[in-house]
Amino acid sequence: MRTDSSPGTLPAREHLPATDAGTPVLDVVIPVFNEEKDLQPCVRRLHEHLTRTFPYAFRITIADNASTDTTPLVAARLAAEVPEVTTVRLERKGRGRALRTVWSASDAPILAYMDVDLSTDLNALLPLVAPLISGHSDLAIGSRLTRSSRVVRGPKREFVSRAYNLILRGSLQARFSDAQCGFKAIRREVARVLLPLVEDTGWFFDTEMLVLAERAGLRIHEVPVDWVDDPDSTVHIVRTATDDLKGVWRIGKALASGSLPLDRLTRPFGDDPRDRELSGVPGGLARQLVGFCVVGGLSTLFYLLLYSGFRQFCGAQLANAPALLVSAVANTAANRRLTFGVRGRGGAARHQAQGLVVFGIGLALTSGSLAALHTATDSPAHSTELAVLIAANLAATVLRFLLFRVWVFPDRGEPGPEPYRTTHVRADEAADGSWRDVTARLSPVHPHDNDPGDPR
């Protein structure tokens, strides 16, 4: 999983202003591989539809994925005949690679793509990009699985699609309904930060992009589409499904370990009243209190179970210390991720060290309470010990929250120096602030970059 740097925190979404006719607002990418038959009618139909219905300037970009037939010639002829059409040639296969390359180099504020077979009815194109133009959403996807969608396709593809989306919901807690529909759009400033985190270069590219965007809190707009299956589709279902499952496993591990710096995708959602700062109310206090109470309750149960287990083999003091230590480490890790929203491994060791200091304070409170109990009574009942420990832990919990909020995971209020630096550059990425210009100079990919091992 790539964790290299991306340019930084996103700005607030804004409605795109009206622009000059020569400046494209929308760049629709059509990835193709050996589509000499369908390419020309697809592009001309799309161009006619956009000319007739789209109120902004647009561009259609043909991304040729190392075709071996006459597709490059057809694309070049279309680009020469239609002013709004351009073509990019890549010498390596992979739909994800093609989209990353073209989107990275595009100057249009709204980036979209659709499959060359135009299975999705084009009347959904304007509803797809409108929420992005208005500033309402960050990404938009066409969905064939909503109640109002109208879909014509065979039972095998219907089963595969629904099963795959059930897997995403069950394993990655995805809330979007259709990851595989070849009809998506994204705002350029979001792509600028999100694409460097997406590792896949093939068919799983869409899913990975959506999962990361959703986990980062970006807004994904879904559009019901009318969709007719293409019986001549060249997609290899079994191989694609296998690769997708491998991708689900990889993303699941990365999310579980917190190795993805998704905090770079946060943006100030100024139009949401829940995100406005109120005088005298610390930001996020209510949410943090709820999260801390949930984690604290679970940690207390975990601690009591450990204490009861250790107490079978040793005295009260010897049982209390390891039980509190193990539960404190788990508590710090859970609060770091769930309560205070700290992602990634940066600073984890320091947070655990500070958490151990807090643990020491809790140990002093609970051990002192036990010592006082045993001073007052020579052989207290086990239930009495537990009651004293619960009371001491409640006091320690309040103190722990205050120390966590003020000292361990403080809200700095102002962004500090950017903690990430780009140290590795791939052929389809840029390494500095001139992201768009650099990626433009890096494409098209040259023939010596060909990867014969890529089956797509």
Side-chain angles (χ1 to χ4, degrees):
M1 175 59 56
R2 287 155 51 184
T3 58
D4 50 311
S5 174
S6 51
T9 302
L10 294 171
R13 288 189 302 260
E14 294 182 355
H15 194 299
L16 294 179
T19 59
D20 297 334
T23 304
V25 169
L26 173 66
D27 192 348
V28 182
V29 181
I30 304 177
V32 292
F33 173 71
N34 289 349
E35 297 288 354
E36 58 183 1
K37 176 182 177 182
D38 296 331
L39 180 57
Q40 178 166 312
C42 160
V43 171
R44 293 195 178 277
R45 178 182 164 195
L46 174 61
H47 181 266
E48 187 276 332
H49 178 84
L50 288 171
T51 302
R52 179 169 48 87
T53 65
F54 193 67
Y56 293 88
F58 63 87
R59 178 191 302 129
I60 300 173
T61 302
I62 303 169
D64 177 22
N65 283 234
S67 295
T68 56
D69 60 1
T70 61
T71 296
L73 298 178
V74 176
R77 184 167 60 250
L78 286 168
E81 296 175 357
V82 184
E84 291 82 7
V85 175
T86 63
T87 180
V88 175
R89 167 75 176 181
L90 293 90
E91 299 300 337
R92 301 173 67 186
K93 296 180 184 178
R95 181 177 67 175
R97 178 178 289 110
L99 292 176
R100 191 199 329 271
T101 301
V102 178
W103 280 355
S104 298
S106 179
D107 59 350
I110 305 299
L111 310 169
Y113 95 89
M114 63 180 60
D115 293 334
V116 69
D117 55 20
L118 293 186
S119 295
T120 304
D121 184 69
L122 291 178
N123 286 328
L125 182 55
L126 185 55
L128 181 79
V129 300
L132 308 186
I133 294 174
S134 69
H136 175 271
S137 301
D138 299 289
L139 299 91
I141 64 174
S143 177
R144 301 161 295 182
L145 302 181
T146 62
R147 291 179 179 271
S148 56
S149 300
R150 298 181 178 181
V151 177
V152 178
R153 61 176 167 181
K156 182 171 71 172
R157 285 184 175 271
E158 180 75 13
F159 173 78
V160 170
S161 180
R162 292 190 177 273
Y164 178 63
N165 283 281
L166 284 176
I167 291 173
L168 292 181
R169 288 176 176 268
S171 59
L172 300 178
Q173 288 78 52
R175 290 176 292 177
F176 48 85
S177 64
D178 191 351
Q180 294 176 311
C181 182
F183 196 70
K184 296 181 176 69
I186 185 172
R187 286 177 68 102
R188 185 182 61 182
E189 74 271 15
V190 177
R192 175 175 175 259
V193 184
L194 179 58
L195 293 185
L197 302 179
V198 180
E199 180 176 336
D200 192 80
T201 59
W203 293 96
F204 188 69
F205 174 88
D206 303 49
T207 300
E208 185 171 354
M209 178 180 69
L210 291 175
V211 169
L212 297 185
E214 186 175 77
R215 286 301 186 95
L218 299 181
R219 182 174 291 164
I220 302 174
H221 179 76
E222 294 197 17
V223 178
V225 297
D226 298 339
W227 194 86
V228 180
D229 188 19
D230 178 14
D232 298 325
S233 175
T234 58
V235 177
H236 194 292
I237 296 179
V238 175
R239 183 175 61 203
T240 301
T242 301
D243 291 342
D244 286 348
L245 292 177
K246 292 178 181 178
V248 169
W249 174 257
R250 172 174 54 80
I251 291 296
K253 289 196 301 181
L255 292 173
S257 65
S259 61
L260 289 169
L262 298 181
D263 54 316
R264 299 182 197 148
L265 294 170
T266 58
R267 66 156 86 239
F269 298 130
D271 293 334
D272 191 335
R274 295 171 298 178
D275 296 315
R276 294 174 186 166
E277 294 185 2
L278 302 178
S279 59
V281 180
L285 177 59
R287 179 189 60 79
Q288 291 178 358
L289 276 173
V290 173
F292 185 82
C293 289
V294 172
V295 172
L298 295 175
S299 298
T300 300
L301 291 176
F302 183 46
Y303 160 75
L304 292 176
L305 290 174
L306 289 175
Y307 175 80
S308 297
F310 292 148
R311 190 66 174 85
Q312 304 297 319
F313 308 101
C314 57
Q317 296 288 2
L318 290 178
N320 178 58
L324 193 58
L325 175 62
V326 174
S327 61
V329 171
N331 180 277
T332 300
N335 276 305
R336 181 179 187 269
R337 176 65 180 84
L338 302 176
T339 303
F340 297 97
V342 179
R343 299 182 175 91
R345 299 176 181 175
R350 175 174 57 82
H351 293 153
Q352 282 293 349
Q354 292 173 309
L356 290 178
V357 174
V358 179
F359 152 75
I361 297 174
L363 178 62
L365 283 173
T366 54
S367 297
S369 300
L370 283 175
L373 176 63
H374 282 270
T375 300
T377 306
D378 292 335
S379 300
H382 182 63
S383 58
T384 304
E385 286 183 347
L386 290 180
V388 170
L389 287 174
I390 290 173
N393 266 283
L394 287 176
T397 297
V398 174
L399 182 59
R400 185 184 302 121
F401 176 75
L402 295 176
L403 290 174
F404 273 178
R405 181 174 173 83
V406 176
W407 180 48
V408 183
F409 308 109
D411 184 3
R412 302 297 182 186
E414 296 180 358
E418 184 176 345
Y420 303 100
R421 299 295 178 192
T422 302
T423 55
H424 301 285
V425 180
R426 294 167 64 102
D428 48 357
E429 299 173 15
D432 56 21
S434 57
W435 178 85
R436 176 174 58 82
D437 296 333
V438 173
T439 50
R441 292 196 297 270
L442 290 175
S443 60
V445 182
H446 296 295
H448 64 268
D449 291 329
N450 186 46
D451 181 6
D454 192 337
R456 288 184 283 260

